[in-house]
């Protein structure tokens, strides 16, 4: 919904979710020295020719985009910038953005590629988030992983707000956005340095043209913005799931004004399972941090986007 709202702005183009920015960054050492045009060509083909990257959803000509990547400065950020700049130009807009929930955990790499990026973090009641996530046909985790993901994203948001400051990081809440879209979007536009565009409050028209029916999990974007889903966790989650989420989230729900259910504390077995999943995730993240340090030591090129200044906009929602 927020992606569609931003894309409805007359100056901003926010692409549908792609899957090449973070995977390509993780594989950057494998692309070789990008000062070699043949390596830039291989990177361009990796982005434009593989179904896994979802490049096809951008509606761009693959050959033309690949040529733009080859002609761009020899950095990974420049290659990505060439793709998203082409997407923005497709709509006659000067600014672009990208959106994936996982960006909340990778602001370091994103800032390396786009030092002038701004981050928009959309926060929703964690209980509604885990209820929604479990209903997604593509989600293969269990509720313990879903709970961990929300808690981790909230904690990362806290750190980012402190580290990046108000010019780079902006946080808004889903419940306030759907209750009064104009008021919240006026504030968001002020952060972005743009005039408010009233078209942003009615993203359903754009959704009907651009969100395919096969993505049924996005079906509500075809309708007017509404608050009917706020608090739906009470009907979509079992009592033990609610109590486990509330115990795991600690004070985080209250800090955002979300009322507790009043259910008793969850069973010890559920808490133990959650603790094991959390420990496993932390271990995986530490291992990834070690691999990332190795990659930084061995990366063949700088990664910063060196295209003429066009400020990147990257959003994360949890």
């Amino acid at each position: 919904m927020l992606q569609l709202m931003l894309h409805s702005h007359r100056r901003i183009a926010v692409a549908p979710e792609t899957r090449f920015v973070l995977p390509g960054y993780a594989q950057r050492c494998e692309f070789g020295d990008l000062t070699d045009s043949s390596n830039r060509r291989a990177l361009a083909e990796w982005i434009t020719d593989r179904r896994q990257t979802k490049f096809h959803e951008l509606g761009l000509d693959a050959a033309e985009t690949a040529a733009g990547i080859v002609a761009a400065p020899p950095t990974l950020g420049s290659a990505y910038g060439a793709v998203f700049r082409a997407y923005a130009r497709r709509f006659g807009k000067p600014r672009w953005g990208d959106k994936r929930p996982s960006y909340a955990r990778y602001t370091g790499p994103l800032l390396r590629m786009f030092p002038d990026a701004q981050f928009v973090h959309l926060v929703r009641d964690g209980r509604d988030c885990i209820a929604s996530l479990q209903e997604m046909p593509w989600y293969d985790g269990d509720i313990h992983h879903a709970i961990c993901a929300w808690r981790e994203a909230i904690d990362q948001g806290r750190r980012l707000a402190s580290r990046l400051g108000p010019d780079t990081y902006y946080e808004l809440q889903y419940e306030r956005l759907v209750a009064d879209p104009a008021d919240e979007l006026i504030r968001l536009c002020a952060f972005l340095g743009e005039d408010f565009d009233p078209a942003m409050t009615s993203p359903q028209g754009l959704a009907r043209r651009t969100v395919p029916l096969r993505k049924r999990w996005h079906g509500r974007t075809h309708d007017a913005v509404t608050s009917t889903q706020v608090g739906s966790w009470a009907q979509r989650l079992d009592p033990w799931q609610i109590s486990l989420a509330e115990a795991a989230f600690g004070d985080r729900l209250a800090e955002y004004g979300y009322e507790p259910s009043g259910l008793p504390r969850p069973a010890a077995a559920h808490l133990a399972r959650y603790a094991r999943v959390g420990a496993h995730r932390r271990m995986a993240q530490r291992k990834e941090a070690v691999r990332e340090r190795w990659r930084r030591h061995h990366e063949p090129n700088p990664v910063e986007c060196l295209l003429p200044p066009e400020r990147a906009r990257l959003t994360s929602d949890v």
Side-chain angles (χ1 to χ4, degrees):
M1 181 190 67
L2 181 57
Q3 178 256 328
L4 291 165
M5 287 175 164
L6 286 166
H7 191 64
S8 297
H9 193 284
R10 61 185 175 273
R11 285 177 43 84
I12 302 172
V14 181
E17 289 191 14
T18 56
R19 291 184 179 173
F20 56 80
V21 172
L22 295 178
Y25 181 82
Q27 296 175 229
R28 64 193 182 278
C29 295
E30 301 173 21
F31 295 122
D33 184 355
L34 294 181
T35 60
D36 184 331
S37 62
S38 64
N39 288 337
R40 293 202 302 280
R41 171 65 64 180
L43 171 60
E45 292 173 352
W46 183 89
I47 293 172
T48 61
D49 293 353
R50 300 168 67 251
R51 297 290 294 182
Q52 298 94 319
T53 65
K54 293 195 171 184
F55 170 83
H56 61 281
E57 297 200 3
L58 299 179
L60 298 173
D61 180 88
E64 184 177 330
T65 305
I69 293 172
V70 174
T75 71
L76 185 64
S78 299
Y80 291 161
V83 176
F84 289 115
R85 183 173 62 182
Y87 180 77
R89 288 177 175 174
R90 175 187 164 200
F91 298 95
K93 298 180 179 183
R95 296 179 67 173
W96 64 265
D98 194 20
K99 173 261 180 191
R100 283 192 66 80
S102 56
Y103 285 161
R105 294 188 289 117
Y106 294 96
T107 53
L110 293 169
L111 281 169
R112 291 192 73 213
M113 291 185 283
F114 304 103
D116 62 347
Q118 290 176 293
F119 294 85
V120 179
H121 191 191
L122 179 64
V123 175
R124 187 182 184 188
D125 187 323
R127 296 162 296 188
D128 276 331
C129 283
I130 62 175
S132 177
L133 193 57
Q134 290 192 108
E135 295 169 358
M136 296 298 104
W138 42 260
Y139 182 66
D140 58 3
D142 62 15
I143 190 168
H144 303 88
H145 283 277
I147 289 171
C148 286
W150 190 87
R151 174 173 167 149
E152 290 164 5
I154 292 299
D155 290 347
Q156 177 67 355
R158 289 170 166 174
R159 291 189 290 269
L160 292 176
S162 174
R163 180 165 63 90
L164 301 181
D167 293 333
T168 300
Y169 176 84
Y170 185 83
E171 192 170 275
L172 70 164
Q173 287 183 249
Y174 168 85
E175 293 79 10
R176 294 180 182 176
L177 179 61
V178 297
D180 191 348
D183 183 65
E184 291 300 316
L185 291 170
I186 287 171
R187 299 172 191 271
L188 176 56
C189 285
F191 164 75
L192 296 174
E194 298 286 352
D195 293 332
F196 169 64
D197 188 337
M200 300 173 73
T201 63
S202 302
Q204 65 272 18
L206 176 62
R208 291 166 189 159
R209 300 192 303 273
T210 62
V211 179
L213 293 176
R214 61 180 171 80
K215 293 186 176 182
R216 57 188 183 279
W217 55 93
H218 290 324
R220 291 191 182 90
T221 61
H222 290 211
D223 302 322
V225 177
T226 176
S227 59
T228 56
Q229 289 298 108
V230 173
S232 61
W233 55 266
Q235 292 76 46
R236 299 159 74 189
L237 296 176
D238 293 333
W240 74 267
Q241 295 174 319
I242 298 170
S243 61
L244 177 61
E246 292 178 345
F249 295 159
D251 295 333
R252 294 164 184 80
L253 289 173
E255 289 173 1
Y256 284 95
Y258 300 125
E259 294 292 333
S261 66
L263 289 168
R265 188 169 176 79
H270 292 313
L271 287 170
R273 168 65 177 163
Y274 165 75
R276 289 195 296 273
V277 169
H280 177 78
R281 290 172 65 95
R282 288 190 294 274
M283 178 62 70
Q285 290 163 10
R286 286 194 288 269
K287 290 180 179 178
E288 174 58 26
V290 172
R291 288 191 289 268
E292 173 58 14
R293 286 196 292 272
W294 184 92
R295 294 185 198 112
R296 290 200 184 193
H297 183 71
H298 292 87
E299 58 189 19
N301 307 101
V303 298
E304 181 178 346
C305 179
L306 300 176
L307 293 172
E310 292 189 45
R311 297 197 71 183
R313 296 298 180 265
L314 299 133
T315 71
S316 166
D317 55 354
V318 299

